[in-house]
DNA sequence: TTGCATGATTCTAT
DNA sequence: ATAGAATCATGCAA
């Protein structure tokens, strides 16, 4: 009989320890009775935990088996990894003893107590600042990536965000969608790289986490490792990986900013309106020269006719008013031209109307030339 | 290349 | 919020 088996047997022999072995409180209560025995057990535990890995191994499993309940807490360090694997390759002798240990009725209770002791000593020193509040930096990055359409919903999000960004940046997006196909393509590229990298990180993180968790779970059969401790280890791993993720997010944000400054901020790039649009605007302007301030509805109507935005209509009228006012003489010819045009159009409409009313009306197009003032008004 | 035309932006006043 | 004014930046013809 080796030390541990003896110890477990000894525990089993403690007075009244026959029920509720899974409940640490109950065990503690019962353990509290025989002071002498507790001292013995603790001494045995100390003896086991104090001895080196080699000693333990030599004493417990002289030839082949690994040490248990000793060594480092960190499964990622040194010999911890793989030692506890429950693979079928382990010698039969070891398997038997391990099985005996695992099945011992006192094991869960004892482990709970040991975990608690461990918790109160070693881990309380390490894990002081474990509850990390959501990092404001990473939240900022997340928000930005979402706003830029890099993270978040797949299709449409990107272009919508680009249009939104253009609107926010410029006040009057030049119909958002037209110029920025190149921008959107680049943004999609960034988005794709970001997602594939993120996926890689997430996969690596979950793989590593699983690996460590399996390791710890396996080791928890032979070492006092509480679920809380495993949780803590997992959160440490997640923290490490999230810092890597933050770097990824940061560099993605930078890339997006550079892209934006290169594409969207070149919004001053302009196209002249087409001839028809200019004509429509001028017609309205000169036919309302006494009050060239189109209402919101009129602007919308004009915008629709000219296939431009309402704010472009506003810009156009703003520019036109100020430039006309500054140099009426220069615009005189244009004013006359549009005055005639408007009059002819009106005449045509009127003629058509009267023709509809009385088809026999003669001289349908023969209206006198419009009389207009020097500023172009009829 | 240059100068003018023109759409967009920014600032200020109302 | 809107208009006026100044200015910027680009388009385009000469």
């Amino acid at each position: 009989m080796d030390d541990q088996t003896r110890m477990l047997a000894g525990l089993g022999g403690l007075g009244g320890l026959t029920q509720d072995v899974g409940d640490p409180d109950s065990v503690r209560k019962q353990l509290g009775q025989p002071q002498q025995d507790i001292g013995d057990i603790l001494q045995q535990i100390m003896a086991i935990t104090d001895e080196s890995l080699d000693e333990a191994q030599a004493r417990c499993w002289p030839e082949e088996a690994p040490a248990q309940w000793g060594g480092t807490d960190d499964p990622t360090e040194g010999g911890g990894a793989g030692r506890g694997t429950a693979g079928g390759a382990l010698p039969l002798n070891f398997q038997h003893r391990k099985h005996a240990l695992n099945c011992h009725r006192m094991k869960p209770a004892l482990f709970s107590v040991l975990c608690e002791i461990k918790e109160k000593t070693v881990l309380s020193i390490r894990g002081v600042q474990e509850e990390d509040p959501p990092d404001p930096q990473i939240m900022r990055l997340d928000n930005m990536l979402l706003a830029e359409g890099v993270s978040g919903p797949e299709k449409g999000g990107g272009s919508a965000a680009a249009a939104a960004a253009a609107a926010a940046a410029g006040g009057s997006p030049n119909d958002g969608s037209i110029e920025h196909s190149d921008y959107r393509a680049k943004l999609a590229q960034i988005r794709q790289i970001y997602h594939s990298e993120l996926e890689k990180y997430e996969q690596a993180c979950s793989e590593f986490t699983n690996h460590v968790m399996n390791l710890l779970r396996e080791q928890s059969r032979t070492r006092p490792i509480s679920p809380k401790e495993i949780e803590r280890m997992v959160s440490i791993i997640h923290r490490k990986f999230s810092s890597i993720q933050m770097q990824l997010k940061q560099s993605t944000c930078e890339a997006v900013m550079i892209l934006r400054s290169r594409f969207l901020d070149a919004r001053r790039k302009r196209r002249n309106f087409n001839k028809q649009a200019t004509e429509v605007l001028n017609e309205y302007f000169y036919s309302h020269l006494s009050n060239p301030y189109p209402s919101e509805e009129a602007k919308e109507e004009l915008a629709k006719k000219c296939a431009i935005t309402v704010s472009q209509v506003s810009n156009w009228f703003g520019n036109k008013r100020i430039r006309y006012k500054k140099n009426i003489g220069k615009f005189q010819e244009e004013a006359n031209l549009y005055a005639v045009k408007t009059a002819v159009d009106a005449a045509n409409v009127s003629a058509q109307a009267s023709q509809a009313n009385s088809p026999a009306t003669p001289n349908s197009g023969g209206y006198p030339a419009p009389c207009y003032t020097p500023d172009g008004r009829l």
Side-chain angles (χ1 to χ4, degrees):
Chain A
M1 202 189 250
D2 59 34
D3 276 359
Q4 275 151 24
T5 323
R6 261 201 307 280
M7 190 183 84
L8 289 172
L11 273 174
L14 287 172
L17 273 179
T18 50
Q19 50 196 347
D20 286 333
V21 287
D23 175 8
D25 285 324
S26 129
V27 172
R28 252 200 319 277
K29 241 180 270 165
Q30 292 171 22
L31 282 172
Q33 308 278 336
Q35 293 284 327
Q36 187 54 47
D37 288 345
I38 289 174
D40 287 349
I41 292 164
L42 284 178
Q43 260 191 336
Q44 288 179 58
I45 292 170
M46 295 292 277
I48 291 168
T49 52
D50 278 349
E51 70 188 6
S52 76
L53 223 62
D54 291 340
E55 283 169 349
Q57 189 165 359
R59 196 148 47 78
C60 300
W61 295 283
E63 294 102 31
E64 75 286 7
Q68 298 187 14
W69 292 31
T72 169
D73 277 350
D74 190 343
T76 62
E77 280 173 20
R83 190 186 298 141
T85 35
L90 289 170
L92 201 59
N93 200 17
F94 173 75
Q95 295 278 18
H96 276 158
R97 269 187 284 220
K98 192 173 169 187
H99 181 75
L101 178 63
N102 281 337
C103 296
H104 198 283
R105 65 199 169 96
M106 284 309 297
K107 191 204 147 190
L110 187 58
F111 266 38
S112 297
V113 175
L114 288 172
C115 284
E116 212 165 292
I117 292 168
K118 208 170 147 189
E119 193 77 24
K120 280 181 183 154
T121 54
V122 188
L123 294 171
S124 62
I125 299 164
R126 282 192 203 164
V128 184
Q129 40 98 343
E130 55 183 304
E131 270 131 37
D132 46 341
D135 189 348
Q137 168 94 11
I138 214 159
M139 275 174 70
R140 249 201 338 270
L141 291 173
D142 275 338
N143 287 340
M144 192 192 148
L145 290 173
L146 204 64
E148 293 297 334
V150 174
S151 57
E154 185 55 53
K155 280 261 154 109
S159 53
S172 48
N174 198 4
D175 196 27
S177 61
I178 37 171
E179 306 273 315
H180 304 315
S181 59
D182 201 13
Y183 170 83
R184 285 207 302 278
K186 288 255 164 39
L187 190 70
Q189 210 178 333
I190 291 175
R191 183 192 165 91
Q192 201 208 328
I193 292 169
Y194 170 76
H195 280 290
S196 79
E197 288 297 306
L198 197 66
E199 204 178 317
K200 262 190 236 166
Y201 285 139
E202 269 163 9
Q203 201 183 339
C205 180
S206 81
E207 267 174 23
F208 190 67
T209 306
N210 278 343
H211 175 70
V212 170
M213 271 171 68
N214 286 338
L215 223 55
L216 287 172
R217 276 204 204 105
E218 180 55 38
Q219 288 193 359
S220 74
R221 294 191 197 172
T222 49
R223 291 202 297 138
I225 300 172
S226 63
K228 206 175 166 188
E229 198 183 334
I230 296 177
E231 236 173 72
R232 192 165 322 175
M233 191 62 74
V234 167
S235 84
I236 287 169
I237 294 166
H238 283 177
R239 265 207 293 277
K240 292 277 178 211
F241 273 89
S242 84
S243 80
I244 297 170
Q245 249 185 41
M246 190 160 89
Q247 283 175 23
L248 172 69
K249 284 177 180 174
Q250 211 152 18
S251 51
T252 306
C253 277
E254 277 167 22
V256 171
M257 291 313 267
I258 290 166
L259 187 70
R260 263 189 66 175
S261 66
R262 205 181 297 161
F263 281 84
L264 294 184
D265 290 347
R267 60 187 180 279
R268 277 180 179 278
K269 258 190 182 166
R270 64 173 182 82
R271 285 273 137 77
N272 288 347
F273 298 154
N274 63 39
K275 210 176 158 209
Q276 186 251 335
T278 313
E279 233 164 78
V280 169
L281 294 167
N282 271 319
E283 263 173 44
Y284 188 98
F285 181 80
Y286 287 112
S287 62
H288 296 77
L289 208 51
S290 55
N291 184 35
Y293 299 89
S295 64
E296 207 52 40
E297 292 79 39
K299 280 183 195 171
E300 278 170 24
E301 181 74 28
L302 287 167
K304 210 191 274 180
K305 270 191 194 168
C306 302
I308 58 178
T309 66
V310 172
S311 50
Q312 280 179 304
V313 173
S314 297
N315 284 341
W316 189 91
F317 273 88
N319 284 324
K320 192 74 186 178
R321 279 191 300 263
I322 191 77
R323 283 163 187 164
Y324 180 84
K325 206 173 87 179
K326 266 186 181 173
N327 196 348
I328 294 178
K330 196 181 94 182
F331 287 93
Q332 194 59 63
E333 202 180 327
E334 190 180 67
N336 290 343
L337 194 76
Y338 279 102
V340 172
K341 202 170 153 59
T342 308
V344 168
D345 285 351
N348 281 342
V349 169
S350 153
Q352 270 174 12
S354 54
Q355 211 167 28
N357 289 339
S358 54
T361 310
N363 197 18
S364 54
Y367 280 95
C371 191
Y372 43 83
T373 63
D375 69 354
R377 272 177 287 178
L378 285 167

